[in-house]
C-alpha cells in the first residue's frame, strides 16, 4: 500500500446476516463486500461504478463508519478507522464526510437549512464565539445558494437545491475527503449538471478527494482520475480514466462500456466490440463458484467456474481480476 495515501482500504469484507434458524448454528450471510482493496492519494477522484446491488454503498457506509467491517482494514491518513464511527477521533470525522443519494431523506425536514448547516460548524468547532449566521451564508454562497435560503426548510426547496444544502453541510467542517454516493441519481436530469459542476469546482478550489459512487459510467469520463468497477462485492478492474476508457480489459467492463452512449464517431471507434448484456446479476447470498462473473461472461472457460481469479496488475496502475485478460 502507498505510504502517502489519504485513504487505504485493504481486503474489506462486509457480510450481512440474512437468515438464522432458531436453536441452530446454521446462518445465511449475504456477502455485500467481498475483499475490496484500493488506495487513494490526496486530491484524487476515484469513480466507483457498478450495477445495483454490487456493494458500492456498503463500501461507502463502511468507510464513513456507519457499518463496522466484518474483516479488513481501513486507514485514513495512516490512522486505523476500521472500528466504525464510535471509535473514531473527531478530527477524522471532520476530514471525512459523505453526501448521500437522496437529499430528501438525509436532511431533517423539521430543521431549517440554517440549523442543518450550523450543526457541523458547532460540533467541529469551526466557529469561535456566538453567531454562526455569516459562516452559514458563506457555505450557502459556496454552493451558489442565496443567504435567505437559511430560513427555509428542506421540504420547501427543490431536489437539486436540497442536494446543494447537503453539499454545503458536508463542506462545513472543511473536509479533505468526500464520499459521494450517487449524488445526482435521485434528481431531475435538469439539475444534475449543476450539482456535478458544483462538485467539480469545489474539488478544484478546496483541493478535495472524492470517492465518487455512481452507476453512470459515462459521467466518470469527465469527473474521475481513476475508475474502479464493482461486481458482486469485488472490484474487477481499476485503472486511470483515459486508459480505462481506451483499453478496458475485463469482460464485464467491456460489456458495460459497449452499451454506453458516445458523442462522436471517434469515440464510437474506441469502444470495445459490442458484448450484449447476458443474464441477471446473481444473488450475493448464493455467489457463483470461481469467477463470480462466469454466469454472464461470453469468454467463460472451465477454469473460470472453479478458480476465483486474483487481481493482477497487467499494465502500470491497471489492475484486472480475470484469468484470460492480458
Ligand atoms: N443492511 C443490510 N442488510 C442486509 N443486506 C444488505 C444491507 N445493506 C445492503 N444489503 C445488500 O447488500 C448488497 C449490496 O448493497 P449495496 O446497497 O451496497 O449496493 P449498491 O451497489 O450501492 O446498489 P445501488 O446501486 O442499488 O445503490 C445488496 O444485495 C443489498 O441488498
Ligand atoms: S475469469 Fe473467466 S469468467 Fe471471469 S471474467 Fe475472466 S474470462 Fe470471464
Ligand atoms: Mg447504493
Amino acid at each position: 500500500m502507498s505510504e502517502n495515501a489519504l485513504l487505504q482500504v485493504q481486503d474489506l469484507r462486509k457480510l450481512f446476516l440474512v437468515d438464522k434458524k432458531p436453536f441452530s448454528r446454521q446462518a445465511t450471510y449475504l456477502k455485500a463486500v467481498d475483499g475490496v482493496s484500493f488506495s487513494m492519494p490526496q486530491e484524487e477522484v476515484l469513480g466507483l461504478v457498478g450495477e445495483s446491488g454490487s456493494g458500492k454503498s456498503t463500501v461507502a457506509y463502511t468507510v464513513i463508519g456507519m457499518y463496522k467491517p466484518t474483516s479488513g482494514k481501513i486507514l485514513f491518513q495512516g490512522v486505523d478507522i476500521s472500528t466504525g464511527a464510535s471509535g473514531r477521533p473527531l478530527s477524522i470525522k471532520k476530514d471525512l464526510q459523505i453526501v448521500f443519494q437522496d437529499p430528501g431523506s438525509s436532511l431533517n425536514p423539521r430543521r431549517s437549512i440554517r440549523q442543518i448547516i450550523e450543526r457541523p460548524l458547532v460540533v467541529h468547532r469551526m466557529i469561535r464565539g456566538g453567531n454562526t449566521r455569516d459562516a452559514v451564508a458563506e457555505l450557502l454562497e459556496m454552493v451558489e445558494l442565496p443567504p435567505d435560503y437559511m430560513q427555509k426548510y428542506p421540504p420547501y426547496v427543490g431536489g437539486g437545491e436540497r442536494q446543494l444544502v447537503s453539499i454545503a453541510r458536508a463542506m462545513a467542517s472543511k473536509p479533505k475527503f468526500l464520499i459521494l454516493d450517487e449524488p445526482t441519481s435521485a434528481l431531475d436530469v435538469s439539475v444534475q449538471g449543476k450539482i456535478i459542476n458544483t462538485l467539480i469546482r469545489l474539488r478544484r478550489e478546496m483541493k478535495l478527494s472524492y470517492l465518487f459512487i455512481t452507476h453512470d459510467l459515462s459521467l466518470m469520463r469527465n469527473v474521475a482520475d481513476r475508475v474502479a468497477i464493482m461486481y458482486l462485492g469485488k472490484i474487477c478492474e481499476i485503472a486511470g480514466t483515459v486508459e480505462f476508457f481506451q483499453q478496458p480489459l475485463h469482460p464485464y467492463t467491456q460489456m458495460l462500456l459497449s452499451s454506453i452512449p458516445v458523442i462522436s464517431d471517434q469515440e464510437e471507434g474506441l469502444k470495445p466490440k459490442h458484448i450484449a448484456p447476458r443474464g441477471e446479476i446473481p444473488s450475493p447470498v448464493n455467489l457463483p463458484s470461481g469467477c463470480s462473473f462466469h454466469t454472464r461472461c461470453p469468454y467463460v472457460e472451465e477454469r473460470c467456474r472453479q478458480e476465483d481469479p486474483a487481481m493482477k496488475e497487467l499494465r502500470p496502475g491497471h489492475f484486472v481480476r480475470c484469468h484470460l485478460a492480458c
Side-chain angles (χ1 to χ4, degrees):
M1 278 204 186
S2 159
E3 278 189 3
N4 55 13
L6 184 59
L7 176 73
Q8 294 170 277
V9 172
Q10 189 175 37
D11 205 16
L12 183 69
R13 286 191 163 71
K14 181 66 193 172
L15 273 56
F16 292 111
L17 179 65
V18 288
D19 191 24
K20 167 105 175 66
K21 303 262 173 300
F23 313 112
S24 160
R25 285 190 180 186
Q26 272 192 341
T28 309
Y29 289 92
L30 179 151
K31 286 185 178 172
V33 176
D34 189 18
V36 161
S37 300
F38 62 90
S39 173
M40 288 177 62
Q42 293 201 359
E43 294 179 46
E44 183 183 59
V45 177
L46 174 65
L48 187 60
V49 186
E51 284 172 285
S52 184
S54 56
K56 307 178 298 292
S57 294
T58 307
V59 170
Y61 299 163
T62 315
V63 171
I64 205 72
M66 287 161 60
Y67 295 148
K68 232 173 137 175
T70 305
S71 64
K73 259 194 176 169
I74 307 167
L75 303 180
F76 188 74
Q77 299 182 116
V79 178
D80 188 348
I81 55 166
S82 321
T83 47
S86 57
R88 287 184 187 185
L90 199 59
S91 60
I92 299 272
K93 293 182 183 172
K94 171 186 171 306
D95 281 341
L96 184 53
Q97 294 286 330
I98 187 166
V99 174
F100 294 98
Q101 178 176 12
D102 180 7
S105 57
S106 67
L107 300 178
N108 186 333
R110 287 185 295 279
R111 287 183 184 270
S112 69
I113 287 172
R114 175 172 178 171
Q115 288 172 314
I116 287 169
I117 299 178
E118 232 168 28
R119 190 166 159 71
L121 288 171
V122 173
V123 169
H124 295 291
R125 302 203 181 119
M126 303 305 291
I127 307 281
R128 300 265 169 248
N131 198 339
T132 52
R133 193 187 179 285
D134 290 350
V136 173
E138 217 174 280
L139 284 158
L140 287 173
E141 195 188 335
M142 197 184 264
V143 296
E144 294 172 19
L145 288 175
D148 63 354
Y149 265 61
M150 68 175 87
Q151 280 108 47
K152 298 182 192 264
Y153 285 75
Y156 302 102
V157 302
E161 289 158 342
R162 278 200 290 267
Q163 196 58 305
L164 290 171
V165 170
S166 305
I167 295 168
R169 176 178 64 177
M171 293 303 297
S173 63
K174 293 198 167 58
K176 292 186 177 134
F177 193 105
L178 279 191
I179 299 176
L180 305 165
D181 188 6
E182 307 226 30
T184 57
S185 63
L187 304 177
D188 203 88
V189 178
S190 60
V191 296
Q192 289 182 0
K194 170 144 177 74
I195 304 290
I196 296 297
N197 289 338
T198 302
L199 289 167
I200 292 174
R201 176 176 54 77
L202 287 177
R203 181 248 175 147
R204 194 179 57 239
E205 289 173 1
M206 312 302 285
K207 300 190 185 313
L208 292 165
S209 304
Y210 292 158
L211 177 61
F212 199 127
I213 292 172
T214 179
H215 57 259
D216 183 354
L217 196 45
S218 48
L219 174 65
M220 289 299 98
R221 198 194 286 266
N222 303 317
V223 176
D225 300 308
R226 281 190 302 154
V227 181
I229 296 288
M230 266 192 97
Y231 187 75
L232 282 175
K234 289 186 166 81
I235 290 180
C236 58
E237 179 157 15
I238 183 164
T241 305
V242 174
E243 177 156 332
F244 178 89
F245 282 96
Q246 288 183 355
Q247 268 196 310
L249 296 174
H250 195 282
Y252 179 53
T253 312
Q254 292 171 354
M255 187 177 105
L256 293 176
L257 277 175
S258 69
S259 53
I260 65 171
V262 289
I263 47 172
S264 66
D265 290 348
Q266 194 196 2
E267 280 191 358
E268 186 64 43
L270 285 172
K271 272 169 57 165
K273 108 174 154 45
H274 184 72
I275 301 180
R278 290 158 44 127
E280 293 294 315
I281 189 164
S283 161
V285 176
N286 191 12
L287 290 172
S289 60
C291 170
S292 53
F293 188 58
H294 88 247
T295 55
R296 301 171 77 190
C297 182
Y299 309 116
V300 58
E301 291 183 351
E302 194 43 41
R303 176 182 176 195
C304 308
R305 298 191 178 92
Q306 315 290 336
E307 272 176 56
D308 189 9
M311 190 66 123
K312 282 185 286 197
E313 189 171 12
L314 295 182
R315 315 254 191 286
H318 191 158
F319 295 83
V320 187
R321 189 188 280 277
C322 170
H323 291 307
L324 304 189
C326 54

